[in-house]
Amino acid sequence: MPELPEVETTRRGIAPYIEGREIREVLVRERRLRTPVPDDLADSLIGRRIGELGRRAKYLLVPVADARGRERSLIWHLGMSGSLRIARLGDLPKKHDHVDVVVDDGTILRYHDPRRFGFVDWLRGGLAEDPRLRRLGPEPLSPEFHGKRLFALSRGRRLAVKPFLMDNAVVVGVGNIYASEALFLAGIDPRRAAGRVSWERHERLALAVREVLAAAITQGGTTLRDFVSGVGEPGYFAQRLNVYGRAGQSCRRCGGELRLVTLGQRASVFCPACQR
Ligand SMILES: [Zn+2]
C-alpha cells in the first residue's frame, strides 16, 4: 500500500512535468474507482491550469484554476495499489490505466490502479472543511507534531502505543511499517499502554517517527526517474527495515529473536529485549 513517503515522492516526481501546464484533455477509461469519478471531471478540467501540487496525509492535492483565476482542487488517493506516472503522447495505456490527464505540451498524467481502491474527486471546501481531511491530526514532519502532543493525547489511555501512533487523529501517515520501525528506534514495546509511556520516551518516539519517514522520502527521491513513462513500477522503497516483516529473525541490535504479536488487528514485530 502506498504510504506517506510514496505519496510525497509521487508529488515531487510528477510536479515538474505538470505544474503550470494547461489541461487539454481528460480521458476516463474506468469510472468505478473507490468512489466513482465525478461526471463533470473531464469537462471541468479542460482549459484549467494546474497549480502547485500539495499533499495532506496520503491525499495528493492538485489545484486547478480557470481563465478567471477561480481555483478548485482535486483530491487524489492512491488506495491500495494506485500510482500516478508521467507518460507521453503515443505511450499506449496498459491494463488498469484508468485516467489520463493530458496537458498542453503533450505530457500525460496517468493513473494506474489494479485494485481500484483509490479515487479522484473534487476537494469540498478548503483543507479545513473537506470531510476527508478536517479531522486529521498534524503532518508527522511538521512542527505541530512533537512528543508533547503524544504525551498529552495519551494520558489515561490504555490503548497500546502502536495503534495509538497509527491513529490519524494523533498524527497522520504513520502506517504499520513506520510505526513498527519508529517504536524499535525509540526502544518502546509496541504493546505498552500509550498512557504509560513517559514524556521523555514520547519525545524519543516523535523523533524516531520523523527519522524513519524522512529517510523513506529521501530514499524515494532516488527513484524519481521511475515516474517518467515506462520504467518499472514505482513499488516500495527498499529501506533497510529493522523489525517490520522480520518476525523470527534476529534483532540487528542485540541478536535476540524478533517476536510477532497482533495489535489492533495488525501484525507487529518487535524485539522483547530492546523494546520495553
Ligand atoms: Zn534486540
Side-chain angles (χ1 to χ4, degrees):
M1 195 190 317
E3 297 281 353
L4 185 146
E6 282 87 0
V7 180
E8 178 60 19
T9 301
T10 297
R11 186 187 72 77
R12 295 181 188 184
I14 63 179
Y17 299 95
I18 60 167
E19 277 180 357
R21 292 286 171 192
E22 192 182 302
I23 298 171
R24 287 287 157 81
E25 197 182 351
V26 177
L27 286 166
V28 180
R29 295 185 196 86
E30 174 59 82
R31 301 205 92 82
R32 295 166 302 166
L33 302 182
R34 183 160 93 207
T35 55
V37 177
D39 291 329
D40 71 336
L41 190 87
D43 287 348
S44 301
L45 281 177
I46 290 165
R48 285 179 180 259
R49 202 168 281 281
I50 299 175
E52 200 177 314
L53 304 193
R55 180 189 56 74
R56 181 72 174 103
K58 296 202 291 181
Y59 297 100
L60 195 68
L61 303 166
V62 185
V64 286
D66 67 12
R68 294 178 187 169
R70 287 178 305 201
E71 201 168 271
R72 294 179 83 179
S73 183
L74 294 176
I75 176 168
W76 215 313
H77 195 280
L78 304 179
M80 307 283 287
S81 59
S83 59
L84 278 164
R85 310 289 293 277
I86 297 297
R88 303 287 182 198
L89 277 183
D91 290 343
L92 294 177
K94 297 192 205 99
K95 198 177 177 191
H96 310 302
D97 283 345
H98 303 312
V99 180
D100 277 1
V101 176
V102 187
V103 297
D104 49 18
D105 69 346
T107 296
I108 303 169
L109 177 65
R110 183 164 276 172
Y111 183 59
H112 178 84
D113 189 352
R115 296 180 66 183
R116 291 193 275 118
F117 282 115
F119 68 83
V120 54
D121 193 7
W122 296 109
L123 186 70
R124 292 179 215 137
L127 287 180
E129 293 112 68
D130 189 284
R132 292 159 290 203
L133 305 180
R134 69 182 173 211
R135 286 187 188 84
L136 295 177
E139 287 289 321
L141 297 174
S142 74
E144 288 74 42
F145 174 64
H146 40 63
K148 248 178 281 175
R149 176 181 173 83
L150 291 179
F151 181 75
L153 289 178
S154 62
R155 289 312 87 186
R157 304 272 315 260
R158 279 194 279 181
L159 179 68
V161 64
K162 181 161 172 274
F164 169 76
L165 191 62
M166 291 173 68
D167 178 353
N168 270 333
V170 172
V171 56
V172 299
V174 185
N176 202 7
I177 300 176
Y178 301 111
S180 303
E181 294 297 313
L183 285 160
F184 176 79
L185 288 183
I188 299 172
D189 187 323
R191 300 168 298 177
R192 177 175 286 273
R196 300 284 310 280
V197 176
S198 69
W199 178 79
E200 290 82 359
R201 300 182 85 207
H202 271 305
E203 282 290 350
R204 215 182 302 159
L205 181 56
L207 288 174
V209 165
R210 285 169 176 275
E211 194 180 320
V212 294
L213 288 171
I217 292 169
T218 303
Q219 200 150 29
T222 63
T223 68
L224 285 185
R225 61 186 173 78
D226 293 353
F227 285 89
V228 185
S229 80
V231 210
E233 286 295 311
Y236 299 101
F237 303 149
Q239 221 177 350
R240 181 182 150 99
L241 299 172
N242 284 307
V243 287
Y244 182 83
R246 298 192 65 236
Q249 298 182 42
S250 52
C251 172
R252 298 195 204 279
R253 192 176 288 162
C254 74
E257 190 180 319
L258 298 177
R259 268 188 66 189
L260 176 71
V261 287
T262 302
L263 290 168
Q265 287 103 47
R266 306 299 296 273
S268 303
V269 183
F270 70 107
C271 174
C274 296
Q275 295 175 256
R276 297 282 176 161

